[in-house]
Amino acid sequence: MAGRLRTLAGSFRGRIVLGYALIVLLLAGVWAWSLYEPLTQAALDQQRSHLESIAHVSAIALSETSASPAAEIRSLVAGTGLRATVVAADGTVLADSAQDPATMANHATRPEIAAALRGAVGTDTRVSSTQGVAQMYVAVPSTLDGARVAVRVSEPLATINAIADNGRRTGLLLLLGALAIAVYAGLRLSALAAEPVLRLRDAAESMAAGDLHTPIPSGPGELGELATSLETLRDTMRGTITELEGGQATLHAVLDGLQDAVFVFEGDRVALANRAAGALFRVPAAGWRGTVLADVMFPASLAATVRSNLACETTNTAEVGPDPEGRYYRVTAVHLSPLDGSPRTLVVVADVTEVRRLDAVRRDFVANASHELKTPTSAIQLLAEAAGHAAEDGDTAQAMEFVGQIDEEADRLRRLVVDLLDLSRLERPPGAGGVTDMRLAIANALAAHRSAAAAADLQITLDTTAAANDDVYTTADATDVAIALDNLLANAIAYTERGSVTVRLSADRDTVTVAVSDTGMGIPAEHLPRVFERFYRVDAARTRVTGGTGLGLSLVRNAAERSRGSVEISSQVGIGTTVTVHLPRAH
Ligand code: ADP
């Protein structure tokens, strides 16, 4: 109850009701204060004139009666609660309706008696010496048996006050009634006044809760203006929020589109992470937000680097790795302006393992290619010198032999350069469109190698039974197909001493397959996974004889993959090798 009253007192309505009640109390107080004295006085005056009338009647009755004055006045005031006294001119009490006159003192000095004995109406209010209570006295002149007497009528003030109290009680009741009416009116009026305010409050509360579409109720006067202001505020907020949401969505889309992991740390806790962060490092079970650095699944070295860069004042970049999985990371830490006093750091983590690997591959390739080029070049230089000396010595046969070797080395150099040119071609993105007739491409390749096969006493056969009567076209580029077939046939012939080389063409709905098999020496199983690497050779001595560049199979793989095809190899030492190329079929 007390709590509700306190709430009411603190509320808008409560203040209105309290205001009303205070005003009523104040007005009633002023009213009561200003009327109290006059009302009391009026009651006394009325009572005085009442007593005076009775005194006059008693005086007349006394002057005309033949009975004893005591009996006369007793009968006059009997049952009225009044007291009547008859006092002689010398102040002796002749008769009293309440007391034996013999026991009563001389009344000559009583002001009302003195006045009456002088022929006037005397009044007084005082505590009775005989009765000990406050009394109102009214005395009038009269005659008894021809002598001047004073007839006095008195009444206890308590009786008069009771009448005044009665009036006051009625006043108080009226006041309470007015107060109740004021409170009720206050409640009703405040309810009326508060209603638009409460509706505005509800609208403002739902706005604060995030509902920016809630209608704002209008109200009278200033409340209407307040509603308009609230509406403007709501529209501004909606615009700002939409703008912010748009900006944030763009930011998230941009961040999620990045390949690198992006984190924003507040202190040592993650405030934001993009999608790549989840792909590179596991997303914590409770989500990224609020995860401390120690709980982020960073490899130890990466975590240490990030930690040392948190709250950095500058932009730092560092490369860390390899981690236990052999991965390398580049970490960039950027200082951001603090938010709510806590330092913020943008941390971008890029997985540079592949970049590093490609770098290493490229470095190796340049070193290998330089080495491969240097070998025949040096040989040519030496052979040319030797041929020169032989010619000087007049040894023409020797000179011619050196010239022949120069020719071989030059040819080897030419093949190497051709392979390198093919390789650089195959590393470029493929051109659009175009189809290649596989039967024609195989026929051309076979024609180019038939004499070499014949020289090696090898039989070359073409098997197209699996693609009988079918047009077999591929979307692969004709030159790429030619490079692949050329290298496969060259290898099959080079690494087969006796037997045959077979080319098989087959096709299903989506794929064209060419398999080149031989009955040659085969490749030991441990070398098979690496034969497609550039410059990888199974047996260097053997290759020297065949004159291979070590690039043949890597060219085949590049050609197949450039056309979104694939290649595989199977081999058994002493039995033979089959290299199979799958290419997308053109319809
Ligand atoms: P190369 O130009 O030296 O032949 P490749 O890349 O074409 O280089 O082949 C890589 C290695 O695989 C060769 O050194 C060779 O030892 C082996 N190889 C390739 N094809 C065959 C095959 N048909 N039979 C046996 N060995 C082969």
Side-chain angles (χ1 to χ4, degrees):
M1 182 67 187
R4 281 188 63 188
L5 274 181
R6 220 169 299 129
T7 319
L8 184 69
S11 74
F12 175 69
R13 287 190 61 195
R15 280 198 291 271
I16 290 182
V17 173
L18 276 182
Y20 267 92
L22 276 178
I23 288 171
V24 167
L25 274 178
L26 200 69
L27 286 178
V30 171
W31 175 68
W33 181 74
S34 61
L35 287 185
Y36 183 80
E37 268 310 305
L39 275 179
T40 311
Q41 201 52 52
L44 285 175
D45 288 350
Q46 196 190 356
Q47 202 55 27
R48 191 176 294 120
S49 64
H50 174 60
L51 289 181
E52 192 183 330
S53 309
I54 294 173
H56 278 302
V57 170
S58 304
I60 293 166
L62 195 66
S63 62
E64 290 175 359
T65 187
S66 54
S68 82
E72 184 61 32
I73 54 171
R74 244 195 310 274
S75 75
L76 275 171
V77 295
T80 61
L82 301 175
R83 178 183 174 187
T85 313
V86 182
V87 181
D90 61 355
T92 309
V93 178
L94 298 174
D96 190 88
S97 63
Q99 214 176 329
D100 178 7
T103 62
M104 293 171 68
N106 187 292
H107 273 44
T109 55
R110 305 285 200 273
E112 74 281 359
I113 299 291
L117 289 176
R118 280 198 308 275
V121 175
T123 61
D124 194 23
T125 307
R126 65 171 183 279
V127 175
S128 158
S129 58
T130 52
Q131 299 203 324
V133 291
Q135 301 265 349
M136 175 181 269
Y137 300 97
V138 177
V140 295
S142 182
T143 52
L144 183 66
D145 300 331
R148 163 67 54 95
V149 292
V151 175
R152 186 182 73 175
V153 179
S154 67
E155 185 179 25
L157 266 185
T159 318
I160 302 165
N161 281 343
I163 297 166
D165 279 349
N166 222 4
R168 262 180 247 129
R169 208 170 299 122
T170 313
L172 193 66
L173 280 178
L174 281 175
L175 173 66
L176 286 177
L179 201 62
I181 290 171
V183 169
Y184 176 74
L187 280 172
R188 291 304 302 261
L189 282 175
S190 68
L192 273 179
E195 199 219 56
V197 177
L198 294 179
R199 276 192 287 144
L200 277 179
R201 182 202 62 187
D202 291 346
E205 273 178 3
S206 52
M207 263 169 72
D211 178 6
L212 294 181
H213 295 276
T214 182
I216 311 261
S218 190
E222 291 92 337
L223 290 179
E225 287 169 24
L226 181 60
T228 313
S229 302
L230 265 181
E231 231 160 42
T232 313
L233 175 68
R234 184 200 58 190
D235 293 347
T236 313
M237 271 171 74
R238 202 159 52 195
T240 310
I241 286 175
T242 311
E243 220 168 273
L244 281 175
E245 280 175 349
Q248 215 169 26
T250 310
L251 176 70
H252 276 117
V254 169
L255 284 178
D256 285 344
L258 292 177
Q259 301 273 308
D260 299 343
V262 178
F263 300 90
V264 173
F265 281 93
E266 273 174 23
D268 71 340
R269 286 181 182 276
V270 177
L272 186 149
N274 69 346
R275 192 173 298 155
L280 271 183
F281 314 102
R282 201 149 21 92
V283 183
W288 284 113
R289 215 184 151 72
T291 301
V292 287
L293 173 60
D295 292 342
V296 177
M297 289 294 176
F298 282 155
S301 54
L302 180 59
T305 309
V306 171
R307 183 172 297 286
S308 67
N309 279 291
L310 286 185
C312 60
E313 293 291 323
T314 51
T315 298
N316 300 330
T317 303
E319 221 165 279
V320 292
D323 68 1
E325 287 176 16
R327 308 203 75 80
Y328 291 84
Y329 300 99
R330 192 179 55 242
V331 184
T332 308
V334 182
H335 168 74
L336 299 178
S337 51
L339 199 73
D340 298 335
S342 75
R344 292 187 310 150
T345 316
L346 169 72
V347 175
V348 181
V349 182
D351 184 346
V352 292
T353 315
E354 186 60 14
V355 175
R356 276 195 159 231
R357 192 188 67 77
L358 287 177
D359 250 17
V361 167
R362 218 163 287 276
R363 267 199 307 276
D364 284 357
F365 175 77
V366 171
N368 283 333
S370 311
H371 178 75
E372 294 291 333
L373 287 168
K374 193 177 152 222
T375 311
T377 314
S378 306
I380 287 171
Q381 200 176 14
L382 288 174
L383 286 166
E385 271 174 34
H389 290 311
E392 274 173 14
D393 295 347
D395 189 346
T396 318
Q398 181 69 61
M400 283 311 292
E401 195 185 323
F402 286 140
V403 170
Q405 285 177 13
I406 288 173
D407 191 43
E408 274 175 31
E409 291 300 327
D411 188 49
R412 196 173 139 163
L413 199 57
R414 183 193 56 78
R415 271 185 281 118
L416 189 59
V417 171
V418 167
D419 279 359
L420 287 174
L421 285 173
D422 284 347
L423 201 60
S424 91
R425 170 197 156 80
L426 293 175
E427 282 195 334
R428 285 198 296 271
V435 289
T436 301
D437 180 353
M438 282 306 286
R439 288 180 196 277
L440 184 63
I442 293 169
N444 288 341
L446 286 176
H449 288 272
R450 216 171 280 280
S451 62
D457 202 17
L458 295 173
Q459 199 191 337
I460 286 199
T461 46
L462 172 64
D463 177 0
T464 57
T465 45
N469 306 324
D470 259 2
D471 283 339
V472 183
Y473 286 85
T474 174
T475 54
D477 182 272
T479 310
D480 295 3
V481 174
I483 291 171
L485 290 174
D486 184 46
N487 279 287
L488 288 179
L489 285 172
N491 279 352
I493 293 166
Y495 299 109
T496 305
E497 279 182 343
R498 76 184 76 81
S500 62
V501 172
T502 309
V503 179
R504 280 190 190 83
L505 176 66
S506 60
D508 61 22
R509 218 176 70 83
D510 300 317
T511 312
V512 175
T513 303
V514 188
V516 179
S517 310
D518 61 57
T519 55
M521 62 183 67
I523 302 168
E526 68 270 23
H527 293 283
L528 280 179
R530 298 195 60 189
V531 289
F532 290 107
E533 289 175 21
R534 290 163 189 172
F535 299 115
Y536 187 83
R537 295 177 176 103
V538 173
D539 176 353
R542 172 79 202 161
T543 309
R544 216 168 295 124
V545 178
T546 61
T549 59
L551 288 172
L553 283 180
S554 70
L555 285 171
V556 174
R557 186 177 66 178
N558 277 27
E561 288 178 356
R562 192 163 103 114
S563 315
R564 277 181 279 113
S566 62
V567 61
E568 65 209 38
I569 187 165
S570 65
S571 186
Q572 269 185 294
V573 176
I575 292 179
T577 305
T578 299
V579 184
T580 311
V581 177
H582 305 282
L583 295 171
R585 186 169 186 180
H587 296 284

